[in-house]
Amino acid sequence: MSHVITLLSKPGCHLCEQAREVIARVAGELGVPWEERDITRSEEDTRLYRDQIPVTLIDGVQHDFWRVDERRLRAALRD
């Protein structure tokens, strides 16, 4: 099964930088595409996620927020 990871972030977010590193590493190792979306570019994203960023989505479904657990991410991508 093919997955897509989306990282919801905003400028100046140090937790987003950490999440980006984990996601880039895992996605690269597993060959999973990923994208990053700045929540400040969308009123809806800002309203929904401003208190949770960074947020990790897998196939558009929320998987994690604040921190990315690498083992949990890898396990989810194996399904």
Side-chain angles (χ1 to χ4, degrees):
M1 176 178 238
S2 178
H3 295 288
V4 176
I5 304 167
T6 304
L7 171 62
L8 302 179
S9 64
K10 74 174 185 178
C13 167
H14 73 281
L15 290 178
C16 298
E17 294 170 15
Q18 294 170 3
R20 185 179 303 113
E21 290 174 9
V22 173
I23 290 170
R25 179 175 54 249
V26 171
E29 289 174 9
L30 299 179
V32 175
W34 74 281
E35 61 190 7
E36 187 168 350
R37 193 164 80 213
D38 179 351
I39 68 163
T40 65
R41 296 180 179 250
S42 162
E43 287 183 27
E44 182 176 1
D45 281 350
T46 299
R47 181 179 57 79
L48 291 172
Y49 301 110
R50 75 174 160 251
D51 295 329
Q52 297 179 351
I53 62 154
V55 174
T56 306
L57 309 176
I58 297 177
D59 302 326
V61 177
Q62 187 169 338
H63 172 74
D64 260 330
F65 63 97
W66 294 336
R67 301 212 184 262
V68 177
D69 182 301
E70 186 169 338
R71 284 184 293 166
R72 188 169 180 270
L73 179 61
R74 286 178 184 279
L77 295 171
R78 286 189 194 116
D79 293 339

